[in-house]
Amino acid sequence: MLMEEVLRRENVSAAHARVVKNGGAPGVDGMTVDELLPYCHEHWPRIREELNSGSYQPQPVRKVDIPKPGGGVRTLGIPTVLDRMIQQALHQVLTPIFDPTFSADSFGFRPGRSAHQAVLRAREHIAAGNRWVVDLDLAKFFDTVNHDVLMRLVALRVKDKRVLRLIGRYLRAGMLEGGLVAARTEGTPQGGPLSPLLSNILLDELDKELEKRGHRFVRYADDCNVYVRSEAAGERVMASLERFIEKRLKLKVNRDKSAVARPWKRGFLGYTVTAETNPRLRITPASIGRLKRKLRSRLSSGRGRSVQSTIEDLTPLLRGWMAYFRLTETPTTLEPVDQWVRRKLRCIMWRQWKRNRTRHAQLKRLGLDPDRARLSAGNGRGPWWNAGASHMNAAVSTSWLRGSGLVCLLDEHRRLKCAS
């Protein structure tokens, strides 16, 4: 039976190791990942028996709202670490059952698949002449998943009633907010290890429908793009898919965020394409804007620190961002961001120097001619103007900032391309 496989010692140990590795905040009981193993040593025989008998009751999830990159908030439901371990054990057993039958054009939350693969597949479809995209946005997907529809799909493959009952209880587990637990009759809140797999099980129905119709598409979690050859075909596909999604999956399409458009006017997973016959991948302006907002927050806290300390703080963010966007084939868009970061750092330095006497001394120390340093220090202009002026560019040169450890996105992109 499947529950025995879930509770197999090696499977539970692997689930515990994954939960500890992932870390994360405690759930409603306040237990941390470091406290999980001692707790299991004492209580696991009872928990195992409850899971075996089908009487185990998950605890409510803790509600956490985080800002979405494009505005608004995303609601997470954080399970307790014990429930995260049990969900992970379920996930490890259910994935080999469901994943092999998922569509080749589904890339989100699947072993051996990535957002980069999804972006490259999208470019393939466009290069093949499908130069219109039906960009589908599902309204509040994770909050509105229909439990009956989802459980029916799970039950087609899972026959162990204890496993089905446990999944149903996780779906219906209440959400704690402000000391009160609200019951849930729909949705599979993000935050638990099982939610991504359950979302793929549900949306695989959409994938199969698209395959049956012969469409070229790419799906990553609830982001789905269908590529067609004309605007008229796109409008027909949009209308028919909206009916299918609402009738069969009991979900809704957000028409305000969905569109039939040229793919170079839409973004997909942070990328877009050029309008050429052989399209090249580009980073969307929105993605660059989000990076600058994150950098601005870190740079604003750098005014009371050395520039080297600020650069060290920026390095993981810049490297991580460039690692994701290394597929870009228009790297010239990176240079303005590099220039902006350098100017912000020069601005911090100018502010820190404060007095004309200090500015004069620092500019001389950094190699400026004494007369030029004196005139520049007393020019009366503001920090941002001075940060972009020739005297600061000469004193705090690009090579000086590189030598201080600053990661230049353009250099990092070249390095990653050579390494790949």
Side-chain angles (χ1 to χ4, degrees), residues 233-248:
E235 294 293 352
R236 288 195 300 271
V237 169
M238 175 70 83
S240 63
L241 287 181
E242 187 171 8
R243 289 193 297 270
F244 174 84
I245 288 167
E246 293 187 0
K247 184 176 180 180
R248 286 280 296 276

Side-chain angles (χ1 to χ4, degrees), residues 85-98:
M85 185 182 77
I86 296 170
Q87 285 193 34
Q88 180 63 33
L90 281 167
H91 182 277
Q92 290 165 183
V93 170
L94 294 175
T95 294
I97 295 172
F98 286 95

Side-chain angles (χ1 to χ4, degrees), residues 55-191:
S55 62
Y56 179 81
Q57 291 287 348
Q59 294 195 60
V61 297
R62 183 168 62 86
K63 182 179 180 181
V64 176
D65 289 330
I66 61 171
K68 283 185 177 181
V73 296
R74 175 179 287 114
T75 298
L76 301 183
I78 308 299
T80 65
V81 290
L82 174 62
D83 282 322
R84 294 211 290 272
M85 185 182 77
I86 296 170
Q87 285 193 34
Q88 180 63 33
L90 281 167
H91 182 277
Q92 290 165 183
V93 170
L94 294 175
T95 294
I97 295 172
F98 286 95
D99 191 80
T101 65
F102 288 158
S103 169
D105 289 294
S106 164
F107 293 90
F109 308 121
R110 296 183 60 191
R113 288 172 170 260
S114 68
H116 284 171
Q117 292 172 332
V119 169
L120 292 171
R121 181 66 60 85
R123 185 185 62 178
E124 286 176 22
H125 292 328
I126 299 164
N130 302 280
R131 294 170 68 80
W132 287 87
V133 61
V134 181
D135 187 351
L136 287 169
D137 184 276
L138 300 178
K140 298 183 178 179
F141 169 71
F142 284 94
D143 297 332
T144 58
V145 167
N146 184 285
H147 290 175
D148 292 337
V149 173
L150 175 57
M151 289 306 299
R152 175 180 61 79
L153 294 171
V154 174
L156 291 175
R157 304 280 187 81
V158 175
K159 302 306 178 185
D160 191 326
K161 289 186 172 15
R162 296 168 298 175
V163 173
L164 292 173
R165 191 180 300 120
L166 182 58
I167 294 172
R169 285 175 179 167
Y170 275 122
L171 288 173
R172 295 188 300 274
M175 183 174 286
L176 180 69
E177 181 183 16
L180 299 175
V181 177
R184 287 211 317 270
T185 58
E186 62 179 10
T188 169
Q190 300 174 77

Side-chain angles (χ1 to χ4, degrees), residues 301-354:
S301 67
R303 294 180 183 177
R305 299 182 294 167
S306 69
V307 70
Q308 281 80 11
S309 176
T310 302
I311 287 171
E312 287 174 8
D313 189 37
L314 299 181
T315 296
L317 174 58
L318 290 168
R319 286 196 190 281
W321 188 86
M322 196 65 257
Y324 179 76
F325 286 106
R326 67 181 182 270
L327 296 183
T328 182
E329 295 166 306
T330 58
T332 52
T333 56
L334 301 173
E335 180 57 27
V337 183
D338 282 333
Q339 291 173 353
W340 179 83
V341 171
R342 292 194 290 266
R343 186 168 180 178
K344 293 289 282 186
L345 289 169
R346 291 175 183 127
C347 186
I348 289 172
M349 294 176 73
W350 188 264
R351 286 179 185 276
Q352 288 177 341
W353 294 340
K354 292 184 180 178

